[in-house]
């Protein structure tokens, strides 16, 4: 592994590993009730444990000064982290239920944005959880809202939130400066 | 030119302009809150200026004052992080620094002392072989006994490579013999900027009987009066000798900095 792929794995391997194990156990062995509950909670798990700490912890422990102070530009750092972790979350969501993909993407993006807003891990988690549950509740049920199924709608929200994260990044730092490793 | 700053304002900083030639060693001094960290963050590209231009030629490395590191990373992980996030990486140099200062390679940095963490931060910065190295209060976490050795080692590295070094400090006594240039900030304003030799040559101290005015030419930076004598620290392009009973004395870098800082308070 090289470059930011190494960095992403080294920093997030623990949370990615335990989430993967949990998903595999649920998919392969779990009884129906736990199965149903976990499938529906997966987006929240990714939101709270993958998305929210992503930048909140960097601010809280002041390591953003290290992460964004190397040759790699902050924008590239965020793009690679969101790309890799977002893709991994989508694959795991798809293993559970295709409908979870949209919810999971939304949760992840909401968590990242919350991290920029609060700059603290625990408030970012709280903010994310409240926002996630609120949106899931507003667009609950199997019925379609505005012609979209709620999962698709949440996926669209997630796709909108990711550019918001880049705007917030460029407020905090000289995100797109030259120099790419 | 190593660093070029023109008319830069950001937060407390107001309209700062200066140039630092490549390979120079600059001490950035000022009281807490004077804008030292803001200025270094701008030079590092971590902040964007509200107005004005900042240009640092080449690759820049920055070590923040509190020496942040990922708590779960060992020193080895931190060096791998440096290798994977920089275009240039010198593993030998980075490991050499850690072994020189006896930093354990396999222990999580959260369980190391402040001094050991500072050395890991220096090792990552030096390993990336920067053209411009920015150190914010580099010695603050270190044991007084090793400060001299660390300073000498850092200066050795930058001299060998022609690196442009800027280091901030509020410990004025650590300055002598370190920097060849001085930047002095007070409340966001750049009060003094220039080569140390020129600055020492253009400041002089007059000591004599109690008086309200300085006995020689120059702008009075600081006047001190006791019951028996007066002392004026003045800035003048060409210090002259003064008539008896006054004497003129050269000033040290420490005197000069302290006088400017005291007046700015």
């Amino acid at each position: 592994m090289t470059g930011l792929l190494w960095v992403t794995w080294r920093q997030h391997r623990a949370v990615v590993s335990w989430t993967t194990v949990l998903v595999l156990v649920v998919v392969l062995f779990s009884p129906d009730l736990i199965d149903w509950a976990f499938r529906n909670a997966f987006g929240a798990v990714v939101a709270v444990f993958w998305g929210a700490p992503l930048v909140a912890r960097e601010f809280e422990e002041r390591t953003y000064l290290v992460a964004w102070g190397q040759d790699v530009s902050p924008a590239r750092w965020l793009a690679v982290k969101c790309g890799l972790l977002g893709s991994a979350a989508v694959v795991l969501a798809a293993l559970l239920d295709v409908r979870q993909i949209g919810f999971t993407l939304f949760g992840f993006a909401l968590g990242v944005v919350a991290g920029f807003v609060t700059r603290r891990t625990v408030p970012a988690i709280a903010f994310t959880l409240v926002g996630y549950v609120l949106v899931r509740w507003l667009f609950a049920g199997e019925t379609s809202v505005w012609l979209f199924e709620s999962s698709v709608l949440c996926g669209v929200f997630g796709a909108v939130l990711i550019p918001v994260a880049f705007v917030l990044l460029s407020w905090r730092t000289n995100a797109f400066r030259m120099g790419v490793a | 030119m190593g660093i070029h700053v023109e008319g830069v304002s950001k937060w407390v900083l107001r309209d700062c302009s200066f140039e630092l030639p490549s390979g120079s060693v600059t001490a950035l001094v000022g009281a807490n809150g004077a804008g030292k960290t803001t200025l270094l963050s701008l030079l590092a590209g971590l902040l964007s200026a509200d107005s004005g231009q900042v240009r640092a030629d080449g690759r820049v490395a920055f070590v923040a004052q509190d020496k942040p590191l990922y708590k779960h990373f060992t020193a080895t992980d931190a060096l791998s992080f440096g290798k994977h996030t920089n275009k240039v990486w010198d593993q030998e140099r980075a490991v050499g620094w850690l072994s020189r200062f006896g930093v354990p390679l396999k222990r999580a940095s959260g369980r190391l002392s402040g001094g050991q963490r500072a050395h890991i931060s220096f090792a990552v910065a030096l390993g990336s072989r920067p053209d411009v190295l920015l150190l914010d209060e580099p010695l603050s976490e270190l044991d007084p006994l090793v400060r001299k050795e660390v300073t000498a080692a850092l200066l050795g590295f930058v001299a060998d490579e022609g690196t442009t070094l800027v280091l901030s400090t509020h410990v004025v006594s650590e300055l002598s013999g370190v920097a060849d240039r001085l930047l002095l900030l007070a409340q966001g304003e750049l009060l003094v900027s220039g080569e140390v030799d020129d600055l020492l040559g253009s400041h002089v101290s007059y000591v004599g009987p109690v008086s309200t005015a300085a006995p020689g030419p120059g702008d009075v930076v600081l006047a001190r009066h006791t019951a028996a004598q007066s002392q004026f620290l003045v800035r003048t392009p060409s210090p002259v000798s003064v008539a008896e009973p006054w004497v003129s004395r050269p000033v040290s870098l420490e005197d000069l900095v302290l006088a400017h800082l005291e007046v700015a308070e």
Side-chain angles (χ1 to χ4, degrees):
Chain A
M1 279 191 287
T2 55
L4 287 169
L5 177 62
W6 180 90
V7 172
T8 308
W9 174 244
R10 179 63 188 82
Q11 281 190 268
H12 306 285
R13 62 188 183 190
V15 72
V16 170
S17 300
W18 71 249
T19 315
T20 305
V21 168
L22 217 57
V23 167
L24 292 178
V25 167
V26 168
V27 168
L28 298 174
F29 307 113
S30 109
D32 286 350
L33 183 64
I34 300 176
D35 188 82
W36 178 87
F38 184 74
R39 274 171 215 268
N40 277 288
F42 183 71
V45 169
V46 167
V48 163
F49 294 106
W50 293 35
L54 189 76
V55 291
R57 185 167 293 150
E58 301 276 350
F59 281 122
E60 190 165 82
E61 298 184 0
R62 296 180 49 78
T63 47
Y64 70 101
L65 294 167
V66 178
W68 305 341
Q70 311 299 321
D71 285 345
V72 147
S73 74
R76 191 175 155 83
W77 177 92
L78 185 62
V80 172
K81 283 211 166 187
C82 286
L84 290 173
L85 293 173
S87 308
V90 163
V91 170
L92 292 178
L95 284 175
L96 289 167
D97 176 355
V98 178
R99 290 187 66 249
Q100 294 302 318
I101 292 176
F103 298 134
T104 303
L105 265 182
F106 166 67
F108 179 73
L110 181 67
V112 174
V113 168
F116 278 108
V117 173
T118 64
R119 306 185 89 189
R120 289 275 177 277
T121 308
V122 172
I125 286 174
F127 182 104
T128 305
L129 198 59
V130 169
Y132 182 83
V133 170
L134 199 67
V135 169
R136 286 295 306 268
W137 174 72
L138 281 174
F139 302 103
E142 299 297 320
T143 53
S144 61
V145 179
W146 303 336
L147 304 176
F148 291 109
E149 201 187 321
S150 60
S151 160
V152 176
L153 198 66
C154 282
V156 172
F157 291 161
V160 171
L161 282 172
I162 288 294
V164 171
F166 280 86
V167 171
L168 293 171
L169 176 73
S170 61
W171 281 356
R172 291 288 184 204
T173 185
N174 191 355
F176 296 92
R177 64 164 188 265
M178 299 300 288
V180 173
Chain B
M1 198 50 61
I3 290 172
H4 181 96
V5 170
E6 201 180 314
V8 163
S9 298
K10 176 78 178 181
W11 297 333
V12 67
L13 285 183
R14 289 190 310 277
D15 198 27
C16 287
S17 299
F18 60 89
E19 288 187 346
L20 306 175
S22 56
S24 60
V25 176
T26 303
L28 173 60
V29 298
N32 289 331
K36 302 191 294 289
T37 298
T38 305
L39 181 56
L40 290 175
S41 303
L42 286 164
L43 294 174
L46 285 163
L47 287 176
S48 308
D50 291 338
S51 63
Q53 284 200 321
V54 178
R55 206 184 69 228
D57 288 343
R59 298 169 47 254
V60 181
F62 172 57
V63 176
Q65 180 171 0
D66 48 350
K67 320 292 185 299
L69 287 172
Y70 296 104
K71 280 190 299 205
H72 303 294
F73 277 27
T74 63
T76 305
D77 291 328
L79 299 194
S80 297
F81 177 93
K83 182 178 98 185
H84 287 296
T85 52
N86 287 286
K87 282 188 273 192
V88 179
W89 183 253
D90 187 337
Q91 180 74 8
E92 209 177 305
R93 197 185 199 199
V95 171
W97 186 276
L98 295 178
S99 57
R100 175 172 182 174
F101 293 99
V103 179
L105 296 178
K106 299 289 174 201
R107 195 177 302 167
S109 62
R111 292 170 52 220
L112 296 175
S113 71
Q116 290 171 322
R117 284 202 301 275
H119 283 306
I120 295 175
S121 301
F122 294 147
V124 172
L126 292 167
S128 70
R129 285 192 168 273
D131 301 304
V132 174
L133 178 58
L134 309 169
L135 305 175
D136 197 359
E137 302 276 358
L139 305 176
S140 62
E141 312 282 334
L142 298 174
D143 189 279
L145 290 172
V146 299
R147 288 184 181 190
K148 275 217 168 72
E149 189 188 350
V150 170
T151 309
L154 285 170
L155 291 176
F157 269 113
V158 300
D160 291 346
E161 303 284 320
T163 311
T164 308
L165 173 64
V166 181
L167 51 99
S168 77
T169 181
H170 67 272
V171 186
V172 181
S173 60
E174 281 166 356
L175 282 177
S176 62
V178 171
D180 49 49
R181 300 186 75 88
L182 180 74
L183 292 172
L184 191 149
L185 276 174
Q187 282 126 40
E189 221 171 316
L190 194 59
L191 289 189
V192 177
S193 162
E195 284 189 48
V196 169
D197 288 346
D198 292 348
L199 290 169
L200 293 180
S202 62
H203 284 76
V204 68
S205 178
Y206 300 129
V207 182
V210 174
S211 165
T212 51
D219 302 324
V220 175
V221 177
L222 182 70
R224 272 211 186 91
H225 307 283
T226 63
Q229 66 172 27
S230 287
Q231 181 179 357
F232 296 91
L233 197 152
V234 302
R235 187 175 193 171
T236 167
S238 48
V240 294
S241 54
V242 284
E244 294 272 344
W246 288 87
V247 285
S248 64
R249 292 180 185 158
V251 295
S252 69
L253 185 58
E254 190 173 345
D255 295 336
L256 188 156
V257 168
L258 287 175
H260 280 282
L261 288 180
E262 193 176 323
V263 173
E265 276 297 300

